[in-house]
């Protein structure tokens, strides 16, 4: 956590040319950032890039019918100027990648291969997700403003993937370098600097990438078999590659952005998908009569079975206390203000309430 210290300035008798007030040195805008502050910020913004509430996860949640919305993602309408898409893109290219490159340079000069290894894995992960979502991307020329490149070209997705796998291998190799190097410890909010967990994560990301490549490259079958045989992979939820949000609100809000968006936003447009609900409830014919016991964890119903919505308003879709709108709806009840009535995320996946 950042600590802010307040200094009281008392009148002093100064002699000679001593500077007692240097107005050209702003302590709130440091010229150098230590690795101990860069790494946690990188991890936070990587999570925000893909999270619901702040990043592309909001739109993808609608596209995969976990959520319903009245916004652009409705009817698969996300365009280049859509809010969450832009938030995600800005998080990645303005914050994450520039900070990662800065951390890599500092790690090299300060004998810190552990920091370097984590940074390379996070960079490879971020780009691999982006390639899967967008295809061709600015990669080789990205973040090269200091070299005079203001408009980077788009690399082919097929050219980016091999470089990301190499980056993951280099990240794994960094953990086996100088044992006397600086260890990140609590600066690493995800794994507290655990070599084993980061190596397992890197291998799991590679396995996921090979699984994508197998559709166009049959030669990766052997590489998949090697990864499976070595068994250095994420094998339990406790070792999962997850950012640890908390319930803390001050001095910084450390809660899951999706929870803040759904529980505290004054105008909410994100709803739970009735299609997803019906699958868990056993109403959908694919899983007919199979009721998922996790329903109380996934959804929090703000109404009981008999309550009506605000001002007696009706809902497009309602089963008991579960109330929401349809995907692609243009019905008369779609846009009514029901912030305190419709169902929202539960304790899973965003740390909301338990029904």
């Amino acid at each position: 956590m950042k600590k802010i210290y307040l200094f009281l300035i008392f009148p002093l008798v100064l002699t000679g040319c001593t500077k007692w007030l240097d107005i050209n040195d702003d302590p709130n805008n440091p010229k150098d950032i230590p690795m101990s502050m860069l790494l946690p910020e990188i991890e936070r913004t990587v999570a925000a890039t893909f999270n619901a509430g702040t990043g592309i996860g909001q739109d993808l949640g609608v596209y995969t019918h976990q959520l319903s919305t009245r916004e652009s993602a409705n009817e698969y309408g996300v365009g280049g100027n859509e809010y969450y898409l832009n938030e995600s893109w800005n998080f990645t290219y303005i914050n994450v990648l520039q900070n990662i490159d800065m951390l890599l340079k500092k790690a090299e000069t300060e004998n810190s291969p552990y920091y370097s290894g984590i940074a390379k894995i996070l960079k490879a992960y971020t780009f691999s997700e982006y390639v899967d979502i967008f295809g061709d991307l600015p990669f080789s020329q990205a973040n090269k403003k200091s070299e005079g490149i203001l408009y980077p070209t788009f690399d082919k997705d097929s050219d980016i993937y091999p470089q990301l796998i190499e980056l993951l291998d280099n990240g794994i190799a960094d953990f086996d370098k100088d044992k006397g190097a600086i260890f990140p410890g609590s600066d690493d909010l995800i794994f507290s600097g655990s070599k084993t967990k980061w190596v397992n994560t890197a291998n799991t990301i590679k396995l996921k990438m090979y699984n994508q490549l197998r559709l166009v490259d049959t030669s990766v079958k052997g590489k998949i078999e090697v990864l499976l045989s070595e068994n250095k992979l994420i094998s339990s939820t406790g070792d999962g590659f997850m950012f640890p949000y908390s319930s803390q609100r001050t001095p910084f809000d450390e809660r899951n952005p999706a929870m803040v968006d759904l529980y505290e936003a004054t105008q909410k447009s994100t709803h739970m998908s009735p299609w997803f609900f019906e699958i868990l409830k056993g109403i959908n014919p694919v899983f007919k009569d199979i009721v998922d016991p996790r329903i109380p964890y996934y959804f929090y119903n703000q109404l009981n079975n008999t309550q009506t919505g605000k001002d007696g308003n009706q809902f497009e879709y309602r089963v008991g206390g579960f109330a929401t709108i349809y995907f692609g709806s243009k019905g008369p009840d779609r846009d009514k203000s029901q912030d305190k009535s419709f169902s929202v995320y539960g304790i899973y996946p965003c740390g909301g309430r338990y029904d």
Side-chain angles (χ1 to χ4, degrees), residues 51-107:
N51 208 352
T54 50
I56 193 66
Q58 184 79 10
D59 294 327
L60 295 180
V62 179
Y63 272 43
T64 55
H65 297 283
Q66 297 171 331
L67 303 173
S68 294
T69 185
R70 299 188 296 247
E71 297 179 345
S72 300
N74 193 34
E75 297 185 290
Y76 309 114
V78 173
N81 293 321
E82 196 270 338
Y83 174 78
Y84 291 107
L85 177 64
N86 273 290
E87 280 291 282
S88 186
W89 195 268
N90 289 337
F91 268 127
T92 298
Y93 280 95
I94 295 177
N95 294 335
V96 173
L97 297 178
Q98 292 199 43
N99 285 338
I100 284 178
D101 287 346
M102 187 186 306
L103 179 58
L104 287 172
K105 291 176 182 177
K106 292 182 72 67

Side-chain angles (χ1 to χ4, degrees), residues 6-44:
L6 300 179
F7 294 89
L8 299 178
I9 302 177
F10 295 94
L12 300 175
V13 177
L14 304 177
T15 59
C17 298
T18 303
K19 297 180 180 179
W20 62 275
L21 179 61
D22 189 346
I23 61 173
N24 295 315
D25 186 10
D26 184 355
N28 294 319
N29 290 285
K31 298 178 181 178
D32 185 49
I33 303 175
M35 293 188 298
S36 60
M37 296 178 69
L38 269 175
L39 181 57
E41 174 63 10
I42 290 168
E43 293 178 343
R44 183 190 71 82

Side-chain angles (χ1 to χ4, degrees), residues 114-130:
Y114 282 97
Y115 283 91
S116 176
I118 294 172
K120 290 174 182 177
I121 294 170
L122 288 172
K123 184 174 183 177
Y125 167 74
T126 302
F127 268 116
S128 71
E129 292 293 298
Y130 261 49

Side-chain angles (χ1 to χ4, degrees), residues 213-237:
L213 285 171
R214 68 183 170 79
L215 300 174
V216 293
D217 183 2
T218 57
S219 67
V220 301
K221 179 181 177 181
K223 298 175 182 178
I224 292 175
E225 292 174 347
V226 169
L227 283 174
L228 294 176
S229 64
E230 291 177 345
N231 198 29
K232 294 181 179 179
L233 303 165
I234 295 174
S235 57
S236 68
T237 303

Side-chain angles (χ1 to χ4, degrees), residues 263-329:
Y263 283 85
E264 297 188 358
T266 55
Q267 286 293 325
K268 307 181 185 75
S269 62
T270 301
H271 301 65
M272 302 297 99
S273 168
W275 182 82
F276 184 40
F277 172 79
E278 288 191 352
I279 286 179
L280 298 184
K281 193 71 174 177
I283 301 173
N284 187 292
V286 177
F287 298 99
K288 185 171 176 57
D289 299 327
I290 302 175
V291 180
D292 195 310
R294 297 172 295 176
I295 289 176
Y297 302 94
Y298 272 104
F299 309 116
Y300 176 73
N301 298 328
Q302 300 189 85
L303 303 178
N304 61 34
N305 291 354
T306 59
Q307 286 176 306
T308 59
K310 180 182 177 183
D311 300 327
N313 289 337
Q314 300 300 309
F315 289 92
E316 289 189 333
Y317 181 94
R318 182 161 183 179
V319 175
F322 184 84
T324 189
I325 62 174
Y326 286 108
F327 173 84
S329 169

